[in-house]
Amino acid sequence: MPSSKTRIAIVGGGVAGLVVARHVVSKLNIYSLTMFEQTDDIGGTWVYTDETHFDKHGLLIHSSMYKNLRTNIPKEVMQIPDFPFRDPDAPSFPSHTVIREYLMDYAEHFNLRPHIKLNTLVKHIEPETLKNGQTLWTVTYEDLETKAETSKTFDAVVLCNGHYTVGHVPHIQGIESFHGGCIHSHQYRVPEVYAGKKVCILGASWSGIDIAVEVAQYADKVYLSHNLPEQIDSKMSSNVEQRSGVESIQGSVFTFRDGTRAEVDDFIYCTGYEFTYPFMSTKVEIRTDDNHVEPIYKHLVHMDYTSLFFMGVPAIVIPFPMFHIQAQYILGILEGRVQLPSAQQMREENETEKRSLLAQGILLRHINKLKDRQWAYYDEIAAAANVPSFPPVARKIFDHVSEMRNINFTTYKNYQYHIIDSENFSVSCSKPC
C-alpha cells in the first residue's frame, strides 16, 4: 500500500543533509524521513580526523578538514538563519571545532537524531516510474557494523553526499618519476611535516593559498604554482614564490609553464574535487564532466526526475544559509507550491544560461562558482518558495571580507563583524589587521 506520508531519503549527514532534515522534521504530519550517514557521526567534512586515506570500514576518509582550519566566511553571515551561534562576541572566523559543535547543537535543537542511520552506506539507488508518472526510489543500504543489507522505497531522494572527498588530480607529464611526498589537499592535515622542505603547491584557490601560508611557516621554500592571469598580491612570507602551472616533472625537478625550474621535495595538489554519485542507477543520467553537473535545474533539481535533488553543487557561495533556502525550495516542489517548467523547458532555460556564461568567458568548470551571481540565485529560489532571502547586510559583509582578503590574505580573519540591522554592520580588529 502506498504510504500516506511522503517518504524522503537524505544521503549524507553533513551540513546540507542536516538543514534539509530540519525542514522535513518540522512537517512530520506529511513527511517521513531517513537520513543515511556512512561515518559514525554527523557533520560531514567538518569532522576532523588525523586519518587521511581509509576509515575503520575500509571506506575513503570523507573529511578534508585540516587541523588549523578556520572558516573563510564570518560566522555572522555563515550561520543558519533560524539558528544563530551562541556567542555573538566570539571570533568571526571560528575553527572547525566550533562549527562542528554548532552542527551538533543544531541537530539536538531540531531533534534530528532519531531519523539518522549512522555507519550506513548507501550502495544503490534505483528509480521506478509508475503508470501515473510518479517515480519511486528504491534505496539499498548496508549497515557497516552488521553487514546487513536492506532495501526501502522512498518518494524523494536528496543527495547530500558532499563534494570534498574525491580529489581532482590532473595528470602531469613525468609525475611517475617523482619520489617525494605527494598528496591532494584532501589528505593535508598539519604543516609541521614540511619543516625544512621545498614544497610545490599546485592551485591557488582559497585552500591552495591557505595551505601555502601555513606550510611557509615551516618549509624552507614554497612554490605556489597556478595559472591565474596575475600574481596574487596577498602579503605572503618571503619564502613563498609564485610560479605558473607545472608543465612537467623529471625526478625532483619541476618545470613550470614559464620555462623556470625548481627542485622539489614535496608536492600538494590543491586542484579541487570531483562530483561523484557512485550509488546512482545508470537509468538516471548524471554527467559530471569538467566539474559541471548536468542535467540539473537551478543547481538543484534533476530535470528528468524532479523528486531527485542535488545539494552542495554551487561554489563560492555562503553555503549554510543557501542550504536553508534550497531546502525550503525542495519542500515547495514536493508540496506543489513551487511549479517547475517541463523537462524540455528546463533544458532550454539551462542551455540558454550556459551559452550566455560561456560567451562571457566563464569556463564550463567554473559555471557552478556563483560568486556575484549568488545573490540573484538566492533571491530567485527564495521568491519561488515564498521564504526570506539573504538580507542586504550579508552581501555587504561578504564584499568587505573579499576586499580585505584581496588586500592581505594573512590578516583578513583578524576582523570582527557585528550585524547592526538588515542593512548595516560594524567591523573592528581583534588583532593587527
Side-chain angles (χ1 to χ4, degrees):
M1 289 291 292
S3 169
S4 58
K5 295 183 178 181
T6 300
R7 299 159 295 179
I8 298 180
I10 297 175
V11 182
V15 187
L18 295 172
V19 173
V20 175
R22 171 262 179 277
H23 289 282
V24 173
V25 301
S26 71
K27 297 180 173 182
L28 287 177
N29 58 319
I30 58 172
Y31 295 115
S32 65
L33 171 68
T34 307
M35 176 190 282
F36 301 97
E37 169 52 47
Q38 72 177 34
T39 71
D40 56 12
D41 211 346
I42 57 172
T45 202
W46 293 98
V47 179
Y48 176 81
T49 173
D50 290 322
E51 300 295 326
T52 57
H53 290 91
F54 299 98
D55 66 13
K56 62 185 178 183
H57 299 298
L59 299 172
L60 286 174
I61 289 292
H62 179 77
S63 178
S64 295
M65 195 56 53
Y66 45 95
K67 196 162 193 173
N68 302 322
L69 182 137
R70 292 164 61 201
T71 66
N72 55 22
I73 299 171
K75 72 181 195 309
E76 289 73 21
V77 293
M78 185 178 180
Q79 63 193 3
I80 303 164
D82 60 359
F83 195 72
F85 280 88
R86 278 189 212 162
D87 181 3
D89 298 318
S92 285
F93 296 89
S95 71
H96 58 81
T97 54
V98 171
I99 301 298
R100 188 183 181 189
E101 286 166 13
Y102 172 76
L103 296 175
M104 297 291 180
D105 290 345
Y106 182 83
E108 191 73 29
H109 180 79
F110 292 109
N111 196 30
L112 304 183
R113 286 197 179 270
H115 308 277
I116 302 171
K117 290 183 180 293
L118 299 174
N119 292 304
T120 304
L121 176 68
V122 171
K123 300 190 80 171
H124 190 71
I125 299 178
E126 185 75 18
E128 181 194 357
T129 303
L130 307 180
K131 288 180 180 176
N132 66 1
Q134 181 191 359
T135 298
L136 298 180
W137 299 92
T138 301
V139 177
T140 302
Y141 55 94
E142 178 188 330
D143 182 318
L144 293 168
E145 301 288 336
T146 66
K147 303 302 179 188
E149 201 168 280
T150 310
S151 294
K152 284 192 176 175
T153 303
F154 295 89
D155 301 293
V157 174
V158 188
L159 303 181
C160 306
N161 57 309
H163 178 43
Y164 299 105
T165 296
V166 180
H168 171 64
V169 179
H171 179 72
I172 298 170
Q173 183 186 333
I175 184 63
E176 304 82 6
S177 68
F178 179 65
H179 299 300
C182 186
I183 62 167
H184 188 274
S185 58
H186 175 64
Q187 281 104 26
Y188 174 78
R189 295 294 182 267
V190 293
E192 291 87 346
V193 296
Y194 298 102
K197 301 285 189 72
K198 299 181 185 71
V199 184
C200 179
I201 294 174
L202 179 61
S205 192
W206 286 353
S207 64
I209 300 174
D210 212 14
I211 291 171
V213 169
E214 273 202 14
V215 168
Q217 297 173 43
Y218 296 89
D220 179 42
K221 187 80 176 180
V222 173
Y223 297 100
L224 182 58
S225 168
H226 61 82
N227 292 314
L228 298 175
E230 297 175 355
Q231 294 266 301
I232 301 159
D233 183 19
S234 55
K235 307 290 189 295
M236 285 185 279
S237 61
S238 58
N239 63 335
V240 178
E241 198 173 305
Q242 294 183 52
R243 297 285 179 96
S244 58
V246 180
E247 180 72 39
S248 63
I249 298 169
Q250 189 167 3
S252 61
V253 177
F254 281 45
T255 301
F256 301 95
R257 292 185 177 180
D258 59 7
T260 61
R261 295 181 177 185
E263 286 263 354
V264 171
D265 301 311
D266 284 85
F267 187 26
I268 306 175
Y269 289 92
C270 292
T271 44
Y273 290 86
E274 307 274 3
F275 286 102
T276 57
Y277 307 98
F279 40 72
M280 188 56 68
S281 164
T282 54
K283 286 183 187 175
V284 180
E285 181 189 5
I286 304 177
R287 298 190 306 280
T288 58
D289 314 331
D290 212 7
N291 204 42
H292 182 67
V293 184
E294 291 194 90
I296 58 173
Y297 182 68
K298 302 302 176 194
H299 305 283
L300 197 56
V301 190
H302 197 286
M303 295 182 200
D304 299 323
Y305 295 93
T306 55
S307 55
L308 175 64
F309 305 94
F310 295 70
M311 295 289 282
V313 173
I316 311 187
V317 291
I318 306 178
F320 294 14
M322 178 184 74
F323 298 151
H324 182 76
I325 297 173
Q326 287 182 321
Q328 293 172 92
Y329 182 79
I330 287 170
L331 297 193
I333 293 169
L334 296 177
E335 292 163 24
R337 293 180 288 105
V338 173
Q339 296 294 324
L340 294 173
S342 69
Q344 183 182 342
Q345 287 173 311
M346 285 191 278
R347 275 183 154 77
E348 287 171 359
E349 190 179 320
N350 215 49
E351 199 57 35
T352 300
E353 183 184 11
K354 185 166 80 173
R355 277 200 303 267
S356 169
L357 293 170
L358 292 172
Q360 293 170 41
I362 295 173
L363 299 174
L364 183 67
R365 67 177 181 272
H366 292 158
I367 283 177
N368 70 316
K369 295 181 177 179
L370 298 190
K371 296 183 184 176
D372 291 339
R373 291 181 282 130
Q374 65 182 304
W375 314 106
Y377 174 68
Y378 306 146
D379 290 348
E380 181 184 5
I381 63 171
N386 195 27
V387 298
S389 187
F390 281 55
V393 69
R395 181 171 189 171
K396 291 176 182 178
I397 292 176
F398 187 88
D399 289 346
H400 187 272
V401 172
S402 299
E403 186 184 342
M404 295 305 103
R405 184 190 297 117
N406 289 337
I407 290 170
N408 192 333
F409 194 91
T410 64
T411 60
Y412 79 96
K413 295 182 184 180
N414 295 346
Y415 287 93
Q416 186 73 29
Y417 293 88
H418 288 283
I419 292 177
I420 298 168
D421 54 37
S422 64
E423 292 277 352
N424 301 291
F425 70 97
S426 64
V427 61
S428 59
C429 280
S430 54
K431 295 178 184 175
C433 291

